[in-house]
Amino acid sequence: MTDSNTKTEAQVNTETKTESEEAGNNEKKVIEAGDEEKKSTETGGDKEKKSTESGGDKEKKSTESGEKEMRAVVLNGFGGLKSVKIGKRPIPPSNLADGEVLIRVQLCGVSFQDLMVRQGVTEAPPKTPFILGFECAGVVEAVSEDVEGFKVGDRVVALPDHRAWAELVPVSAKYVYQVPETMPLQEAAAVTQSYTVAYLLVNQLANVTKGQTVVLHSAGGAVGQAVCTLLKEIGDVTVVGVASKNKHEAIQSTVTHLIDRASDVLAEVRKVCPDGVDVVFDCQGGEECNRGYNLLKPLGRYILFGSSSIVTGETKSILNVVKSWWQVDKVSPLRLYEDNKGIIGFSLRRLLHHQPGGEERVRNVVKEVYRLWQSGVAKAHIDSTYALEDVTDAMTKMHERKNVGKLLLDLSMEPRPRPVTPAKSKKEEKDKDKGSVDKTGESIDKEEEGEKESKEGQEEEVEKSEEKGKE
C-alpha cells in the first residue's frame, strides 16, 4: 500500500511537472507568437512608411518635372489632324545659344503653310516629332549676352523656322521684331507676317501703280485682305478678287469685282477685263499658273506666292502633288522676251531663313508695316481666335477655306467644351431597367427550379438506398 501510495505521489508529481512544463512551453509559444505578431506589425508599418515615403518622393519628382515642362503643339508624324497633339515638352535650357532671345508666348498665328507642313508637302521639314508653327507674339523672358536691342520684358513678334507654337520659344534675334508701345499684341500677331508678305508683293515685286488692274487669288485670307488694303491706299486700282462663294458678302467692299473660285476663273476675268490684267497674285499654283500667265497684258507680271492647290484632302496626295506641277506649262526665257511678260516667285520663309541678306530686308519691311499701322493704314483682319488646345479646329476652318482674315491661337484661352454623348431619355432608361429586371427575374426563376429538381433527385436516391438496406 505504502509503495503503491508513494508511486502514486511520484506519478502525480511527474504529471504535475509535465503539465507545468507544457504550460510553460505554451506560455512561451504564446509570447513568441506575440513577438512575431509585433515584428509583423512593425515590419508592415515600416513597409507602409517606406511605401508612403516612396510615393511622396515620386510625386515630388513628378511635380518638379511638371514645373520643367511646357505646353506645345507637336506633330508626331506627317498626315492628318490625328498627328497633331497638345503635349508636354521640356522647357528650353536657361543658357541660351549665342544670338538667341527666349520668348514667353501669348499668341500664335496660323497660316496655310502650317497645313502643308502637317501633310509633309513642304521643302525639308524637320524630322517628327517637332513643334509646329511659324509665327508667335509674346514677351521677352531672357536674352543671350551677345544680343543687343532687346531686353527682358520687351513685347515682340517672332517668325522662326518652325517651333513657334509653344509656351516658351528660343529664337535667333534676327527673326524677332519689337512691337511699338501703342500697338496691342493681338494686332501685332495678326498684322506682322500678313502685311509683310502683302507689302513685298504689292510694292516691291509687282510695283503696282495707279490705273492698273490686279487679279488676286484667296482674296478672303489674311494676306489677301492685307493686299486689298495696300492697293486701296495706292488708289485707282481695279481689284478682281477670287474667293470661295461663302466669303463674298464679307469681302465685297474690299474689292472691285468678285469671282467664285469654283468657277472658270479665266473666263470670268475675261468678262470684266477683256484686254487682260497688269498683275496676277496667285497662291494656288497648278493650272492657275497657266491661266494667270495667259491673262497678262504686255508688261504684265504673274507672281506665285503659294501652292495651296496641293492641299485637297486631310492628308497628302502624291498624285495631286505631281498633277499640280505637271499641269504647269514650261515657259522659256525667249517666250518671256517675246511676250513682254514676267513670272516671279516669292516665299517669305525661303527669303527670311535660307537666302543671304533676307533677314535684313524683311526687318526693314516689318518696320514699314508697323509705321503703316501707326498711321492707320494697316489694320488687323482677325477672323477668330482659338485656345492652343483647339488648334485642330483652326486648321480645319482654314482647310475648308472658311476664314476671312487671320486665325490666331491664344495661350491664355480655355479650350472649347467638347460635345458629349447625348443623354438617354427617362423612358429609354426605364425600359432598359425594366428589361434588366425581367431578365434577372427569369434567371432567378430558372435557378430556383433547378435547385428544386436537384433536391427531389437527392430524396429519391435516399429512399432507394434505404430500401436496399432493408433487403
Side-chain angles (χ1 to χ4, degrees):
M1 285 292 287
T2 306
D3 294 338
S4 176
N5 291 336
T6 304
K7 189 177 180 181
T8 302
E9 288 176 4
Q11 287 176 348
V12 169
N13 291 334
T14 303
E15 288 173 0
T16 303
K17 186 178 179 182
T18 304
E19 288 175 0
S20 298
E21 288 175 355
E22 287 178 356
N25 290 335
N26 288 338
E27 186 177 352
K28 187 177 179 182
K29 287 179 180 178
V30 170
I31 292 169
E32 288 175 353
D35 291 340
E36 288 179 4
E37 184 177 354
K38 184 178 180 183
K39 286 180 183 177
S40 176
T41 304
E42 289 175 354
T43 305
D46 290 341
K47 285 181 179 179
E48 185 177 351
K49 185 178 179 183
K50 286 179 182 178
S51 176
T52 305
E53 289 176 355
S54 175
D57 291 340
K58 286 180 181 178
E59 187 176 350
K60 186 177 179 183
K61 286 179 181 177
S62 176
T63 304
E64 289 174 355
S65 174
E67 291 174 354
K68 295 179 181 178
E69 292 180 333
M70 64 177 182
R71 289 181 300 155
V73 181
V74 180
L75 183 68
N76 293 309
F78 299 109
L81 292 170
K82 289 182 180 179
S83 59
V84 179
K85 300 292 182 184
I86 304 298
K88 293 288 186 180
R89 303 285 282 186
I91 64 170
S94 55
N95 52 330
L96 294 171
D98 291 344
E100 279 192 340
V101 173
L102 183 64
I103 301 171
R104 183 164 291 279
V105 177
Q106 295 181 15
L107 295 152
C108 303
V110 182
S111 66
F112 208 88
Q113 190 174 29
D114 297 308
L115 274 64
M116 297 175 68
V117 169
R118 189 196 77 213
Q119 291 192 359
V121 294
T122 57
E123 181 187 4
K127 291 183 179 179
T128 58
F130 65 91
I131 298 173
L132 286 166
F134 294 97
E135 310 168 60
C136 61
V139 178
V140 174
E141 183 95 350
V143 180
S144 180
E145 293 181 358
D146 62 334
V147 172
E148 296 179 358
F150 295 101
K151 64 181 185 302
V152 174
D154 284 347
R155 298 180 315 126
V156 295
V157 169
L159 303 177
D161 194 12
H162 302 96
R163 301 180 177 88
W165 294 351
E167 290 182 305
L168 287 166
V169 178
V171 188
S172 171
K174 294 186 293 185
Y175 315 122
V176 181
Y177 314 98
Q178 193 150 4
V179 176
E181 291 182 5
T182 57
M183 192 177 197
L185 204 58
Q186 189 180 43
E187 292 271 317
V191 162
T192 304
Q193 177 163 298
S194 300
Y195 272 87
T196 297
V197 173
Y199 188 91
L200 285 162
L201 291 174
V202 172
N203 296 299
Q204 296 192 7
L205 299 176
N207 193 24
V208 180
T209 57
K210 289 180 182 292
Q212 292 190 330
T213 301
V214 171
V215 170
L216 173 62
H217 285 268
S218 295
V223 173
Q225 285 296 285
V227 168
C228 290
T229 300
L230 297 180
L231 293 175
K232 186 176 181 180
E233 180 65 13
I234 293 171
D236 191 27
V237 176
T238 300
V239 182
V240 181
V242 182
S244 301
K245 189 71 175 178
N246 61 293
K247 299 183 182 182
H248 285 200
E249 185 177 352
I251 66 172
Q252 60 185 357
S253 62
T254 64
V255 299
T256 314
H257 305 282
L258 265 174
I259 294 175
D260 184 0
R261 68 184 297 268
S263 64
D264 185 342
V265 175
L266 180 63
E268 293 299 317
V269 173
R270 289 286 188 199
K271 290 178 183 178
V272 294
C273 305
D275 296 330
V277 300
D278 298 289
V279 178
V280 173
F281 292 122
D282 180 15
C283 59
Q284 302 292 319
E287 283 187 315
E288 295 303 330
C289 295
N290 305 330
R291 294 169 182 163
Y293 183 85
N294 291 329
L295 282 170
L296 294 177
K297 295 178 181 178
L299 302 184
R301 288 86 68 202
Y302 166 82
I303 302 175
L304 180 67
F305 67 101
S307 54
S308 62
S309 64
I310 291 175
V311 178
T312 51
E314 187 181 325
T315 57
K316 175 182 177 181
S317 167
I318 297 296
L319 178 62
N320 197 56
V321 173
V322 173
K323 180 183 175 183
S324 178
W325 294 111
W326 173 72
Q327 292 170 332
V328 179
D329 292 340
K330 292 181 180 179
V331 182
S332 69
L334 184 59
R335 181 182 173 186
L336 296 176
Y337 165 74
E338 293 174 345
D339 290 347
N340 279 313
K341 296 179 181 181
I343 296 177
I344 304 171
F346 174 67
S347 164
L348 179 64
R349 180 193 167 207
R350 290 285 300 171
L351 176 65
L352 184 58
H353 294 284
H354 302 285
Q355 293 175 334
E359 68 272 6
E360 191 59 34
R361 187 158 190 170
V362 171
R363 183 172 298 281
N364 291 333
V365 173
V366 171
K367 288 178 181 178
E368 181 62 19
V369 166
Y370 288 164
R371 188 192 67 76
L372 288 170
W373 181 87
Q374 290 171 318
S375 65
V377 174
K379 298 176 182 178
H381 306 279
I382 301 175
D383 176 272
S384 49
T385 305
Y386 295 81
L388 190 69
E389 289 78 5
D390 297 325
V391 61
T392 54
D393 292 343
M395 283 187 160
T396 300
K397 188 169 189 177
M398 179 162 283
H399 180 82
E400 294 174 350
R401 273 82 169 177
K402 290 182 178 179
N403 63 298
V404 178
K406 193 71 178 175
L407 295 175
L408 296 176
L409 305 176
D410 187 339
L411 276 69
S412 66
M413 282 181 63
E414 291 294 324
R416 296 180 180 181
R418 297 294 174 184
V420 295
T421 305
K424 293 184 178 180
S425 65
K426 290 183 179 180
K427 186 177 182 301
E428 288 175 335
E429 289 181 357
K430 190 175 179 181
D431 292 343
K432 184 180 178 182
D433 292 340
K434 186 179 178 182
S436 177
V437 169
D438 290 345
K439 287 179 182 178
T440 306
E442 183 182 349
S443 176
I444 291 171
D445 291 341
K446 286 182 178 178
E447 188 176 340
E448 288 177 351
E449 188 177 341
E451 288 178 358
K452 187 177 179 182
E453 290 176 355
S454 177
K455 190 175 180 181
E456 289 175 354
Q458 288 176 0
E459 289 176 353
E460 287 179 4
E461 288 180 4
V462 170
E463 288 176 359
K464 288 179 181 179
S465 178
E466 288 177 352
E467 289 177 0
K468 286 181 180 179
K470 288 178 181 180
E471 291 174 357

